[in-house]
Amino acid sequence: MNGTADPILVEIVEGTLASVEMEVETAIARTARSPMIRDAHDFRAGIHDVRLRKLTGRSYSALVQPIVRDFPIETMRPGDVFFHNDVYLSEGGIGHLPDLCVTVPVFHAGEVVAFVQAFGHHDDIGGAVPGSMPSHARSAFEEGLMVPPIKLWDGGVPNRAALTIMTRNSRMPDSLAGDLDAECSACLMGARRLGELFDRYGRQAVESCFDAIISKTTETFRRELLAKIPEGVHVWEDYAEHDGVDEPRLHIQRITLTVDHAAEAPLTIDFTGTSPQAKGPINHAGDYADGVFLKKWLAPILRNLADTPERMAELDVNEGVVPLIKMVFPEKGTLLTPIFPAPTNARTFVILRLLGVLAGVLAKATGGRMPADQETIRYTGVYGDSDDGPYLMREVLGGGSGGRWYADGEDTIHVVPDSRNIPVEFAEARWPLRVERLGLAVDSGGPGEFRGGLGYDKHIRMLRDASFMSIADRSILSCWGVNGGRAGRPFVVTVDGVEMEGLVDDFPVKAGEIVRVRTTGGGGWGSPYDRPAERVAADVRDGKVSYEGARDDYGVVLSGPRDDLRIDAEATELLRAELRTAVPEDTPFFDRGPGYPRLSGGLPYAEVDTV
């Protein structure tokens, strides 16, 4: 601690950090060239202090640890830009090779005082298939160019040799070069802005504010959130369903949560029981730097314990959460502790599933005061040739979030903060396709007293022959419902009526054929028979629930056209009474949907699903 911080200056510094982070991201978005960065916004900026602590909490980011490991701080100079994307040499901060990371040191009085960093998902960095995400990869060497930490700019001078090697290995060299230039320039600009803060107030005062910002997060999470979790040991697990190589099966991700409020780290998250590393690319190298990246990645789930949604939205996740969590990893060779060169390009199946596993184990611990399962990210797209040469259209489509104890889930949410679908007008102007429908997937949200959010329903007609690609799970297993809520509907893609698997590299699509994508719906919370009939009728009027769904899932009998619906109160009461009696007394706390028995050998639910 560098002394007591002036509370007014703390507010100024905290606001400046948020402003610089947003300015960096805005600069990248306005100057990048690829649709994935510029339009889908699949990138993040972060600010770290010289002690490598993340200071900002609006967005997650990678880590500075691998840079200072290979380049001592005292050797850095103004204008240096460091680069890496090597998963196994990133200390857990990079999940797959398309995520390219640039790091710029901030200087004051000739010394490094902080770091500005940006990383984003780029179009292509080589490998076996366009997009550098081969769904059937068995090795990291199939996934693209691996770059350990290097100095990409030296004292303001770009390393042209390194840039030439990277662009030569990319199928989209112009967009890769443009995106990297945007990210480097934006981080250098952010470093200048942050340097001005130190120049204005002095290093000691600013670093005291950094300490105060981080300490405030630690104490707020300890006092307001962790205190709501009863002490004890709680266990839950969830699954990835396929790895692109083996036949679909349950790839287990398990958390044993131990809560001890007297301990220095009140939460212990033990991943023992997680399945062996997969042959295919669903592994995530998370067991580095004591799991510091995973701690910050998982901590936003804890915000659901806040007293109100408004308070939850006020809580940032910075380095202050790290001392509160102890992580225990299994031995090397599991989904979370893979051994190089195990492939990792579809690691979203694991790292995003862990958000749900933590939410599930907390739901067990708190009597259900957590949301049901949310959508999981998936990449779908097409590639081929147009009048302008080869193209790659790849989109990160979201889905529904889970119902909560106080509200329905949100529709078409992207779990990656601020990410979005590609605008129809842009897609049609750039690629040989036509989007014939983009709307909500009716009945996709899990039924519940609080309904799960809906996914997308998107229809794309190809104007030229092309190839379809997909990196997606939840095509068999659904987003689970909790506390009587039902599972949402899974992810489905059809090409000219033929249903696709979740992992596809090169399925041929003929000109005139339609690719239909329906993303996952979130799980429901609470019994659907407790949802007021008026709210079910409103969902039908809004096109979110069908007449059949209202009757079969909610026990609500409706008649008349959608703009003049009538509730048959007597028939609804009788039907709901009949449906309630049909619910077994030993119904588990979680509903995983019909896909679970298919992969579990016929078991209706997992042993950990009961409370």
Side-chain angles (χ1 to χ4, degrees):
M1 182 72 76
N2 289 296
T4 303
D6 181 333
I8 295 176
L9 184 57
V10 171
E11 293 293 323
I12 293 172
V13 170
E14 193 168 22
T16 301
L17 292 172
S19 176
V20 170
E21 182 181 75
M22 186 172 292
E23 188 174 2
V24 170
E25 291 195 357
T26 300
I28 293 171
R30 296 186 66 174
T31 56
R33 297 192 58 181
S34 72
M36 188 64 73
I37 301 292
R38 184 186 62 226
D39 299 289
H41 205 271
D42 194 0
F43 70 94
R44 297 292 165 264
I47 298 174
H48 308 254
D49 70 2
V50 73
R51 295 163 59 186
L52 316 186
R53 301 179 300 176
K54 185 173 184 294
L55 300 170
T56 47
R58 187 182 65 85
S59 180
Y60 66 88
S61 59
L63 301 176
V64 182
Q65 278 85 340
I67 303 303
V68 301
R69 179 198 65 211
D70 294 355
F71 296 89
I73 288 177
E74 59 271 16
T75 67
M76 297 178 180
R77 298 190 301 160
D80 286 352
V81 179
F82 300 92
F83 173 90
H84 71 291
N85 78 325
D86 190 312
V87 171
Y88 290 92
L89 293 178
S90 72
E91 299 295 328
I94 296 294
H96 60 179
L97 295 179
D99 283 348
L100 310 184
C101 182
V102 298
T103 305
V104 173
V106 179
F107 285 84
H108 168 73
E111 295 183 329
V112 176
V113 291
F115 296 91
V116 178
Q117 190 176 71
F119 85 104
H121 187 131
H122 291 247
D123 272 345
D124 189 278
I125 193 67
V129 301
S132 308
M133 297 181 68
S135 64
H136 307 300
R138 290 172 174 261
S139 163
F141 296 107
E142 301 172 54
E143 297 179 309
L145 183 68
M146 290 179 276
V147 183
I150 64 171
K151 190 180 288 188
L152 190 62
W153 289 32
D154 188 350
V157 180
N159 184 335
R160 295 297 175 190
L163 289 166
T164 300
I165 291 170
M166 285 190 280
T167 54
R168 180 60 174 168
N169 277 272
S170 175
R171 297 171 179 84
M172 306 288 169
D174 291 341
S175 65
L176 176 63
D179 289 348
L180 278 176
D181 187 55
E183 289 160 350
C184 293
S185 299
C187 286
L188 286 165
M189 176 271 295
R192 291 193 299 272
R193 296 280 191 272
L194 201 54
E196 292 167 1
L197 180 70
F198 282 87
D199 293 342
R200 186 176 305 123
Y201 298 107
R203 179 171 182 174
Q204 182 175 343
V206 173
E207 289 186 339
S208 294
C209 293
F210 290 171
D211 290 338
I213 290 167
I214 291 171
S215 296
K216 181 178 70 172
T217 295
T218 303
E219 291 311 307
T220 298
F221 270 68
R222 187 192 300 273
R223 183 182 65 254
E224 292 189 28
L225 306 181
L226 302 191
K228 292 185 169 68
I229 310 172
E231 289 195 336
V233 179
H234 314 279
V235 184
W236 201 61
E237 66 187 32
D238 205 358
Y239 318 95
E241 60 197 22
H242 52 154
D243 72 345
V245 176
D246 287 332
E247 289 298 311
R249 62 181 176 86
L250 299 177
H251 297 267
I252 301 170
Q253 293 141 74
R254 173 176 286 219
I255 286 179
T256 299
L257 179 71
T258 302
V259 184
D260 180 0
H261 294 301
E264 184 176 351
L267 297 188
T268 297
I269 298 176
D270 187 343
F271 299 106
T272 301
T274 293
S275 287
Q277 72 183 46
K279 295 177 185 176
I282 66 172
N283 306 290
H284 175 70
D287 59 324
Y288 292 85
D290 296 321
V292 68
F293 177 82
L294 274 182
K295 291 177 184 180
K296 289 177 282 190
W297 171 262
L298 293 175
I301 290 295
L302 297 170
R303 295 185 300 183
N304 288 286
L305 296 168
D307 288 336
T308 65
E310 292 77 15
R311 180 55 177 157
M312 178 175 66
E314 293 173 352
L315 299 176
D316 284 341
V317 175
N318 57 35
E319 203 76 18
V321 302
V322 171
L324 299 172
I325 303 170
K326 176 184 177 182
M327 286 191 166
V328 178
F329 291 94
E331 295 295 320
K332 282 288 188 180
T334 71
L335 290 174
L336 270 177
T337 60
I339 300 170
F340 178 79
T344 63
N345 73 77
R347 94 290 186 213
T348 50
F349 293 15
V350 170
I351 191 171
L352 289 173
R353 184 70 65 251
L354 286 178
L355 295 169
V357 183
L358 181 58
V361 76
L362 286 170
K364 289 183 69 172
T366 60
R369 202 179 182 276
M370 293 295 289
D373 197 24
Q374 78 285 334
E375 68 93 10
T376 49
I377 198 170
R378 81 261 324 131
Y379 304 86
T380 57
V382 291
Y383 61 91
D385 292 307
S386 69
D387 290 339
D388 299 321
Y391 74 92
L392 168 65
M393 188 288 283
R394 186 174 52 183
E395 189 165 22
V396 184
L397 280 175
S401 68
R404 298 155 285 180
W405 56 274
Y406 57 88
D408 292 344
E410 299 289 344
D411 302 324
T412 60
I413 288 294
H414 291 233
V415 72
V416 177
D418 298 330
S419 289
R420 54 188 72 110
N421 65 316
I422 294 176
V424 170
E425 297 82 1
F426 174 87
E428 292 181 340
R430 179 157 183 161
W431 299 307
L433 55 84
R434 185 168 65 239
V435 179
E436 297 193 344
R437 172 180 166 80
L438 177 60
L440 298 177
V442 180
D443 287 333
S444 59
E449 179 181 0
F450 296 103
R451 174 182 46 74
L454 274 59
Y456 285 95
D457 187 11
K458 187 167 189 174
H459 299 186
I460 302 170
R461 186 180 296 277
M462 298 308 303
L463 303 181
R464 290 193 178 193
D465 292 356
S467 296
F468 172 76
M469 64 194 314
S470 172
I471 294 285
D473 69 345
R474 290 303 199 211
S475 61
I476 300 173
L477 300 173
S478 302
C479 291
W480 42 265
V482 67
N483 197 32
R486 307 282 176 76
R489 292 195 178 178
F491 171 79
V492 177
V493 174
T494 59
V495 175
D496 198 34
V498 178
E499 188 169 327
M500 298 287 100
E501 295 181 351
L503 289 164
V504 181
D505 282 339
D506 54 3
F507 190 86
V509 188
K510 299 295 184 183
E513 292 182 341
I514 291 180
V515 177
R516 176 177 178 177
V517 181
R518 189 191 73 194
T519 64
T520 53
W525 193 99
S527 171
Y529 312 132
D530 291 336
R531 186 172 180 83
E534 293 77 12
R535 296 194 66 183
V536 177
D539 284 340
V540 174
R541 276 195 297 271
D542 293 341
K544 296 185 175 184
V545 174
S546 66
Y547 284 84
E548 296 77 16
R551 181 187 65 245
D552 299 341
D553 296 332
Y554 293 92
V556 175
V557 181
L558 302 171
S559 62
R562 276 176 49 182
D563 58 354
D564 187 25
L565 282 176
R566 292 182 295 277
I567 301 171
D568 189 326
E570 183 177 354
T572 294
E573 185 177 352
L574 290 172
L575 178 57
R576 283 189 156 181
E578 178 184 343
L579 292 172
R580 286 181 196 275
T581 60
V583 178
E585 291 186 5
D586 61 348
T587 297
F589 196 60
F590 299 88
D591 176 46
R592 298 182 186 271
Y596 179 78
R598 171 182 162 187
L599 298 184
S600 68
L603 294 175
Y605 55 86
E607 183 180 350
V608 295
D609 289 348
T610 59
V611 293

